[in-house]
Coordinates of all heavy atoms in Angstrom, one line a residue:
I26 N 17.5 131.4 45.6 CA 18.4 130.6 44.9 C 18.9 131.3 43.6 O 19.9 130.9 43.1 CB 17.8 129.2 44.7 CG1 16.7 129.3 43.8 CG2 17.5 128.4 45.9 CD1 16.2 127.9 43.2
K27 N 18.1 132.3 43.2 CA 18.6 132.9 42.0 C 17.8 134.3 41.9 O 16.6 134.4 42.3 CB 18.3 132.1 40.7 CG 18.8 132.7 39.5 CD 18.5 131.8 38.3 CE 19.1 132.4 37.0 NZ 18.8 131.4 35.8
Q28 N 18.6 135.2 41.5 CA 18.0 136.6 41.2 C 18.0 136.7 39.7 O 19.0 136.8 39.1 CB 18.7 137.7 41.9 CG 18.0 139.1 41.9 CD 16.9 139.1 43.0 OE1 17.0 138.5 44.1 NE2 15.8 139.7 42.7
T29 N 16.9 137.1 39.2 CA 16.8 137.2 37.7 C 16.0 138.5 37.3 O 15.2 139.0 38.0 CB 16.1 136.0 37.1 OG1 15.9 136.2 35.7 CG2 14.7 135.9 37.7
H30 N 16.4 138.9 36.1 CA 15.6 140.0 35.5 C 14.4 139.5 34.6 O 13.9 140.3 33.8 CB 16.5 140.9 34.7 CG 17.6 141.6 35.5 ND1 17.2 142.6 36.4 CD2 18.9 141.4 35.6 CE1 18.3 143.0 37.1 NE2 19.3 142.3 36.6
Y31 N 14.1 138.3 34.8 CA 13.1 137.7 33.8 C 11.8 138.5 33.9 O 11.3 138.9 35.0 CB 12.8 136.3 34.4 CG 11.5 135.6 33.8 CD1 11.6 135.1 32.5 CD2 10.3 135.6 34.5 CE1 10.5 134.6 31.9 CE2 9.2 135.1 34.0 CZ 9.3 134.6 32.6 OH 8.1 134.0 32.0
G32 N 11.2 138.7 32.8 CA 9.9 139.3 32.7 C 9.9 140.8 32.6 O 8.7 141.3 32.7
K33 N 11.0 141.5 32.5 CA 10.9 143.0 32.4 C 10.1 143.4 31.2 O 9.2 144.3 31.3 CB 12.3 143.6 32.4 CG 13.0 143.6 33.8 CD 14.3 144.5 33.7 CE 14.9 144.6 35.1 NZ 16.0 145.5 35.1
K34 N 10.4 142.8 30.0 CA 9.6 143.2 28.9 C 8.1 142.9 29.0 O 7.3 143.7 28.7 CB 10.2 142.4 27.7 CG 9.5 142.7 26.4 CD 10.1 142.0 25.2 CE 9.3 142.2 23.9 NZ 9.8 141.4 22.8
N35 N 7.8 141.7 29.6 CA 6.4 141.4 29.7 C 5.8 142.2 30.8 O 4.6 142.6 30.7 CB 6.2 139.9 30.1 CG 6.7 139.0 28.9 OD1 6.4 139.3 27.8 ND2 7.4 137.9 29.3
L36 N 6.5 142.6 31.9 CA 6.0 143.4 32.9 C 5.6 144.8 32.3 O 4.6 145.4 32.6 CB 6.9 143.7 34.1 CG 6.4 144.4 35.2 CD1 5.2 143.8 35.8 CD2 7.5 144.5 36.2
A37 N 6.4 145.3 31.3 CA 6.2 146.6 30.6 C 4.8 146.5 29.9 O 4.0 147.4 29.9 CB 7.3 147.0 29.7
L38 N 4.6 145.3 29.2 CA 3.4 145.2 28.5 C 2.2 145.1 29.5 O 1.1 145.7 29.2 CB 3.4 143.8 27.7 CG 4.3 143.8 26.5 CD1 4.5 142.3 26.0 CD2 3.7 144.7 25.4
A39 N 2.4 144.5 30.6 CA 1.3 144.4 31.6 C 0.9 145.8 32.1 O -0.2 146.2 32.3 CB 1.7 143.6 32.8
T40 N 2.0 146.6 32.4 CA 1.8 148.0 32.8 C 1.0 148.8 31.7 O 0.1 149.6 32.1 CB 3.1 148.7 33.1 OG1 3.8 147.8 34.1 CG2 2.9 150.1 33.6
A41 N 1.4 148.6 30.5 CA 0.7 149.3 29.5 C -0.8 148.9 29.3 O -1.6 149.7 29.0 CB 1.4 149.0 28.1
Y42 N -1.0 147.7 29.7 CA -2.4 147.2 29.7 C -3.3 148.0 30.6 O -4.5 148.3 30.4 CB -2.5 145.7 30.0 CG -3.8 145.1 30.3 CD1 -4.8 145.0 29.3 CD2 -4.2 144.8 31.5 CE1 -6.0 144.5 29.5 CE2 -5.4 144.3 31.9 CZ -6.3 144.1 30.8 OH -7.5 143.7 31.0
G43 N -2.7 148.4 31.8 CA -3.4 149.3 32.8 C -4.0 148.5 33.9 O -4.5 147.4 33.7
R44 N -4.0 149.2 35.1 CA -4.7 148.5 36.3 C -5.2 149.7 37.1 O -4.9 149.9 38.3 CB -3.5 147.8 37.2 CG -2.9 146.6 36.5 CD -1.7 146.2 37.2 NE -0.8 147.3 37.3 CZ 0.1 147.6 36.5 NH1 0.1 147.0 35.3 NH2 0.9 148.6 36.6
D45 N -6.3 150.3 36.6 CA -6.9 151.3 37.3 C -7.8 150.8 38.4 O -8.6 149.8 38.2 CB -7.9 152.0 36.3 CG -8.5 153.3 36.9 OD1 -8.6 153.3 38.1 OD2 -9.1 154.1 36.1
G46 N -7.5 151.2 39.6 CA -8.3 150.7 40.7 C -9.8 150.8 40.6 O -10.5 150.1 41.2
N47 N -10.3 151.7 39.7 CA -11.7 151.9 39.5 C -12.3 150.7 38.7 O -13.6 150.6 38.7 CB -12.0 153.2 38.8 CG -11.7 154.4 39.5 OD1 -11.8 154.4 40.8 ND2 -11.1 155.4 38.9
D48 N -11.4 149.8 38.2 CA -11.9 148.7 37.4 C -12.3 147.5 38.4 O -12.7 146.5 37.9 CB -10.9 148.2 36.5 CG -10.7 149.1 35.3 OD1 -11.6 150.0 35.0 OD2 -9.6 149.2 34.7
L49 N -12.0 147.6 39.7 CA -12.2 146.6 40.6 C -13.8 146.5 40.8 O -14.5 147.5 40.9 CB -11.6 146.7 41.9 CG -10.0 146.8 41.9 CD1 -9.5 147.1 43.2 CD2 -9.6 145.4 41.4
H50 N -14.2 145.2 40.8 CA -15.6 144.9 41.0 C -15.8 144.0 42.2 O -15.1 143.2 42.4 CB -16.2 144.3 39.7 CG -16.1 145.2 38.5 ND1 -16.9 146.2 38.2 CD2 -15.2 145.1 37.5 CE1 -16.6 146.8 37.1 NE2 -15.6 146.2 36.6

């Protein structure tokens, strides 16, 4: 119903936080 660019800034922050697969437990 809508296409939005919401969250690009916050997504960049999340990416900076890091998601190394080795962190999975």
Side-chain angles (χ1 to χ4, degrees):
I26 61 171
K27 187 176 181 180
Q28 191 77 39
T29 174
H30 295 292
Y31 170 78
K33 280 190 173 180
K34 179 179 178 182
N35 293 323
L36 183 60
L38 286 169
T40 303
Y42 170 70
R44 294 169 304 282
D45 186 340
N47 294 326
D48 289 337
L49 295 174
H50 299 279

